[in-house]
Amino acid sequence: MSGRRDFLSAAVWAALGTVILVASWRMDRLQDRGINPWSAPGLTPGVVGALMIVLALALALQSRGEAAEAAAEPAAPGSVFRTLLAIVLCVGYAGLALGHGLPFIVESAAFIFVFTTLFSWSDWRASGYVRRGLAQALAIAVLASLFVSWLFESVFLVRLP
């Protein structure tokens, strides 16, 4: 992606992060109900919005640091397929599977493992690290789902399916 396209993408992400941050700041904090400030509505979206702004600024700085802008490169072969695959996997996980059977930790670990495996398989095969890649993907999937479950249930006090 050229520097100009990166800079425009950064502007869009920063604007979206700003909208999310402002909207979360304006949410009712439920102080009159004695809600713990760490579990107030809007806290998590506010943090996500702020992180989006920070990462967008990093992308903008990186794009400005490029010496010369190259002509826009055509999309890599398979990028449309990979985008559609990511959408199908995310919608399938969040919209269809989550909360309809298995516990959150199991479904999340399976989703992370399948997602990582599908998008890393060709690199693993090319480098000859299929077993190592599968083992790492499984370890990351289990640890990430355990951490996310703990975070939401213990810190944000959100009961997960």
Side-chain angles (χ1 to χ4, degrees), residues 71-150:
E73 298 175 14
S79 63
V80 172
F81 172 76
R82 291 170 65 92
T83 301
L84 291 175
L85 179 60
I87 291 170
V88 166
L89 288 172
C90 290
V91 169
Y93 165 70
L96 302 175
L98 199 59
H100 299 288
L102 297 173
F104 175 83
I105 293 175
V106 175
E107 287 182 355
S108 296
F111 167 74
I112 294 168
F113 177 76
V114 169
F115 194 96
T116 304
T117 300
L118 288 176
F119 284 94
S120 301
W121 186 261
S122 60
D123 292 336
W124 294 342
R125 282 191 51 150
S127 61
Y129 292 113
V130 173
R131 284 187 189 183
R132 181 179 174 187
L134 289 171
Q136 287 177 341
L138 182 61
I140 290 169
V142 169
L143 292 173
S145 65
L146 286 170
F147 176 73
V148 168
S149 180
W150 170 82

Side-chain angles (χ1 to χ4, degrees), residues 7-8 10 13 28-29 35-36 38 40 53 55 59 65 76 82 87 110 115 117 121 124 132-133 138 148 161:
F7 188 77
L8 291 174
W13 285 111
D28 185 13
R29 289 176 179 65
I35 299 294
N36 182 338
W38 290 105
I53 294 168
L55 294 174
L59 180 60
R82 291 170 65 92
I87 291 170
F115 194 96
T117 300
W121 186 261
W124 294 342
R132 181 179 174 187
L138 182 61
V148 168

Side-chain angles (χ1 to χ4, degrees), residues 34-80:
I35 299 294
N36 182 338
W38 290 105
S39 63
L43 178 65
T44 301
V47 170
V48 170
L51 287 173
M52 287 172 66
I53 294 168
V54 168
L55 294 174
L57 291 174
L59 180 60
L61 289 173
Q62 178 186 359
S63 72
R64 302 298 292 183
E66 294 178 2
E69 291 187 24
E73 298 175 14
S79 63
V80 172

